[in-house]
Amino acid sequence: KTYQEFRNYESTEDIIFLLIEGEGSQVKVVIGENCRCHSEGQVQKFLIDSDALSFVFADAIRNANKYSPQGHTPTISIDYDDEGRLTICCRNKVDPSRHKTLTADEIVKIFAREANLAKRGYISSNLGLPAAYAAATFLPGYNLEFYEDEDKTVKFVVTLNAPSKFFNIEEKLPNNLVGVACDDSLVSRKTAKMFMDRKLGLSEESYVLGETREEVLMCTDYVLGNVSGFAKADIVIMDQNLDYAGHEMLYGTHIAAELHKRGFMGILVIMSANSSRLEEAIYKKVPGVDCVCGKHLTINHKNNKIISAWFKKQEFNKKKAKFLEAKSSE
């Protein structure tokens, strides 16, 4: 009951990022040849529930880092077969001085116990497998394996059905687009300005808001070019929770809805610490929200999501213009 199925097409890079979030510097990544599928101008993506998949692996990866012998780095590998099945494996050596070797029968008993806890509604145990089992039920055709090789390597393997298809690689953003970032944090405002300048390549006229609550309250006027000395915006990067001491909280989604009402044609990106797929879907139901980025995402991941949202919005704007033109000529 904790989960809601959310399947999206994800690239190999996106899947790996979601799996090793917070553990990346301590995990070696191996990508199989069948997952390196790039044709000219296109990238292969796989239809998965990435939230469920990352939940299945969360404890496996954390425990691999926790119990790994000194000098050994755990490995995450990912590959794809001709039958449309994705296989992801977390491998780790076991320190025999700290943990005894498990026999095949002992492993079977552990899995049976954890699966039984999952069926009875438990979401936690010493190994964390009940939650993994519950999340795995959202992975079509899933199979979970846990075993130890002769060379004392422990493997946790998940296999699932994951249809794939190729998507066009998005172009770079057009030149001279103006960006506006609004955040209550000084550090976040500085980071956002650097991100707009150096990664997105936006115009020098781009600027940040949020030093005062008054700037946030006037944000729609700034964005729409109604404040002298500030350019009209094409891309708005908006913190979801804008908190100023002694005042009621302001919300980025409320500003997005107001901009939508006032005819803003650019894109609005909500930045939030709460960015699971379910929360992202809730935010995107708000008129005017075109993209949601978790604050934990890498710069490249944020960049790709924002560029994708920009081109989707341009297609929408073209279709809307054609519809209105046809309607006016009736």
Side-chain angles (χ1 to χ4, degrees), residues 18 28 50-51 79-80 163 171 175 214 227 247 253 268 302 312-313 319:
L18 288 160
K28 179 182 177 182
S50 51
D51 271 354
D79 209 348
Y80 195 61
E171 307 169 54
N175 294 329
E214 287 66 32
V227 177
H247 295 280
T253 43
L268 187 138
K302 291 175 186 173
K312 285 179 182 177
K313 186 63 173 283
K319 290 177 182 178

Side-chain angles (χ1 to χ4, degrees), residues 51-65:
D51 271 354
L53 186 62
S54 61
F55 210 118
V56 170
F57 272 94
D59 283 296
I61 295 174
R62 278 197 292 267
N63 286 334
N65 275 328

Side-chain angles (χ1 to χ4, degrees), residues 80-91:
Y80 195 61
D81 64 25
D82 295 335
E83 297 179 357
R85 289 179 65 77
L86 202 62
T87 298
I88 304 169
C89 174
C90 178
R91 296 197 302 272

